[in-house]
C-alpha cells in the first residue's frame, strides 16, 4: 500500500497548520480541538517551516512551566522536518518514523505539501495490508484460487 492510498481514506483531509508567530497556546487549542498530535508550521509566505507536536509542548511545559504557552510556535517547533512522498510504501514510512522517532510526517509531492500522515494511519493501513496477504495465502493453500 502507498502513502497516497492512506491519504485518500483519511477523515481529516485538510492540512491543519499554524504560523510561526502564533502562540503555543493557540497551537495547543488546535491540537485539542482537532484531536491530532501535531501541526504543520507555516512561514509568512505560507511555506512549511516546521512541525510542532504535542510532545514539543509537553517537554517545554515540564522544563519551564506554563509560561511557555505564551511563547511563539517557532520557539518550540522542529525545523528540520522529514517528509515522505505519496508514492512511498507503508513499510518505507514506518521505517522512517521508527528511525527518526517521530509519529507524524508531511507528504510532499514535487515540493508541494499534499497531506500529513500519522503513525496511527500507517499502522492501520499496514494491518489491512497484512490481513489481505494472509487471506490470499489461506485461499491459495485451501485451493480456492
Ligand atoms: P511526534 O512523535 O511526531 O509527536 O514528535 C516527536 C518529535 O519529533 C517532536 O520534537 C516533533 O517536533 C518532531 N517531529 C515530528 N514529526 C516530525 C517529522 N516529520 N520530521 C522531523 N521531526 C518531527
Amino acid at each position: 500500500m502507498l502513502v497516497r492510498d492512506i491519504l485518500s481514506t483519511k477523515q481529516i483531509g485538510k492540512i491543519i497548520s499554524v504560523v510561526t508567530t502564533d502562540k503555543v497556546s493557540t497551537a495547543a487549542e488546535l491540537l485539542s480541538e482537532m484531536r491530532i498530535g501535531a501541526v504543520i508550521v507555516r512561514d509568512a509566505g505560507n511555506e512549511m517551516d516546521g512541525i510542532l507536536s504535542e510532545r514539543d509542548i509537553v517537554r517545554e511545559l515540564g522544563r519551564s512551566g506554563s509560561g511557555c504557552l505564551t511563547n511563539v510556535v517557532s520557539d518550540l517547533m522542529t525545523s528540520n522536518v522529514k517528509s515522505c512522498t505519496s508514492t512511498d510504501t507503508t513499510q518505507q514510512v514506518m521505517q522512517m518514523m521508527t528511525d527518526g522517532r517521530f509519529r507524524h510526517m508531511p507528504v510532499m509531492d514535487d515540493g508541494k505539501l499534499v497531506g500529513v500522515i500519522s503513525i496511527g494511519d500507517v499502522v492501520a493501513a499496514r494491518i489491512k495490508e497484512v490481513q489481505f496477504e494472509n487471506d490470499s495465502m489461506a485461499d491459495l493453500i485451501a485451493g480456492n484460487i
Side-chain angles (χ1 to χ4, degrees):
M1 200 180 283
L2 304 179
V3 167
R4 67 164 166 247
D5 302 318
I6 299 177
L7 287 182
S8 69
T9 59
K10 276 194 68 139
Q11 295 208 329
I12 305 176
K14 65 176 182 174
I15 298 164
I16 296 159
S17 64
V18 292
V19 291
T20 44
T21 50
D22 276 338
K23 293 255 164 46
V24 172
S25 58
T26 304
E29 278 165 26
L30 198 57
L31 293 175
S32 162
E33 186 191 324
M34 302 304 295
R35 297 169 175 263
I36 53 172
V39 280
I40 298 299
V41 184
R42 296 184 188 271
D43 62 18
N46 217 26
E47 294 297 317
M48 182 171 70
D49 200 29
I51 190 163
L52 182 80
S53 113
E54 55 198 358
R55 213 171 267 195
D56 299 313
I57 300 174
V58 169
R59 197 182 296 136
E60 196 56 32
L61 277 172
R63 205 156 39 197
S64 65
S66 59
C68 73
L69 292 171
T70 56
N71 282 22
V72 288
V73 160
S74 57
D75 290 342
L76 303 194
M77 72 181 192
T78 300
S79 302
N80 182 16
V81 183
K82 303 280 184 280
S83 59
C84 60
T85 70
S86 60
T87 53
D88 283 331
T89 64
T90 50
Q91 285 110 313
Q92 285 173 317
V93 170
M94 258 185 160
Q95 193 62 55
M96 286 189 259
M97 286 179 164
T98 306
D99 292 345
R101 294 173 179 266
F102 47 72
R103 300 165 296 172
H104 302 90
M105 259 193 139
V107 185
M108 305 280 293
D109 283 341
D110 301 322
K112 191 176 177 298
L113 182 62
V114 296
V116 179
I117 55 170
S118 76
I119 189 77
D121 300 325
V122 181
V123 169
R126 188 74 190 119
I127 288 172
K128 229 189 255 177
E129 204 170 30
V130 169
Q131 189 63 54
F132 177 77
E133 285 164 9
N134 282 357
D135 292 349
S136 304
M137 255 187 289
D139 280 345
L140 194 67
I141 292 163
N144 294 338
I145 314 180

